[in-house]
């Protein structure tokens, strides 16, 4: 896991350089494009003492937001920078991040009900740190 200042989101694939882009992620089952991008609200890392034990990288999520209700984006299209997305489903937190980070706290318990959002890339484009999440007007 590594933090980057910008990344290319590719329609039908995900984020260039990410393990899921190549179909190598734990939940991709060897299929390119099966699970493309995960988003999580950064504020949940500040809400409990146990959450403070986890870093953003430990969560294994791709994009962190602030001030956005991610569940509202399920079934909707939205943009981050020049890249277009469609919110697919809630991202259940699992135990895998705890195991990979070597932490005793259970990620699934600490982040219960705030695991984030799984999205697919529908428009190829560049995303930069601090880009806003924009939803197009109705009928767009």
């Amino acid at each position: 896991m590594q933090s980057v200042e910008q990344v290319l989101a590719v329609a039908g694939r995900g984020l260039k350089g990410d393990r899921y882009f190549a179909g190598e992620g734990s939940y991709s089952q060897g299929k390119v494009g099966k699970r493309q991008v995960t988003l999580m609200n950064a504020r949940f890392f500040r809400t409990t003492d146990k959450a403070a034990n986890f870093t953003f990288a430990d969560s294994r999520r791709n994009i962190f937001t602030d001030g956005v209700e991610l569940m509202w984006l399920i079934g909707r299209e939205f943009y981050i920078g020049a890249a277009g997305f469609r919110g697919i489903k809630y991202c259940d937190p699992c135990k895998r991040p705890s195991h990979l980070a070597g932490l005793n706290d259970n990620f699934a318990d600490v982040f219960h009900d705030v695991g984030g959002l799984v999205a697919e890339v529908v428009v190829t484009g560049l995303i930069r740190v601090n880009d806003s999440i924009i939803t197009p007007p109705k009928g767009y």
Side-chain angles (χ1 to χ4, degrees):
M1 301 300 297
Q2 68 182 46
S3 178
V4 296
E5 292 294 314
Q6 64 183 27
V7 66
L8 182 65
V10 178
R13 297 277 310 258
L15 303 179
K16 189 171 183 181
D18 183 63
R19 64 198 182 281
Y20 284 94
F21 187 86
E24 297 171 355
S26 301
Y27 295 98
S28 64
Q29 301 169 337
K31 298 176 185 169
V32 171
K34 180 165 181 0
R35 184 167 177 158
Q36 296 178 24
V37 180
T38 53
L39 296 89
M40 190 172 186
N41 194 322
R43 75 180 166 104
F44 297 124
F45 283 80
R46 300 185 294 266
T47 56
T48 68
D49 291 336
K50 286 186 178 182
N53 293 335
F54 289 93
T55 66
F56 292 145
D58 292 336
S59 75
R60 321 261 317 150
R61 301 301 191 258
N62 299 115
I63 298 172
F64 289 91
T65 66
D66 201 9
V68 176
E69 176 50 61
L70 294 174
M71 296 304 95
W72 185 81
L73 297 174
I74 294 174
R76 290 187 163 94
E77 292 192 2
F78 59 96
Y79 277 81
I80 305 174
F85 296 86
R86 181 179 300 111
I88 301 300
K89 66 179 183 173
Y90 171 70
C91 186
D92 284 310
C94 64
K95 296 177 183 178
R96 189 159 177 74
S98 303
H99 173 75
L100 293 172
L103 297 170
N104 290 329
D105 293 323
N106 184 337
F107 186 85
D109 292 339
V110 172
F111 294 98
H112 174 75
D113 207 30
V114 292
L117 173 72
V118 175
E120 65 183 3
V121 183
V122 295
V123 176
T124 298
L126 194 62
I127 302 170
R128 293 184 174 91
V129 170
N130 294 323
D131 278 344
S132 296
I133 294 179
I134 306 292
T135 56
K138 274 191 164 181
Y140 181 77

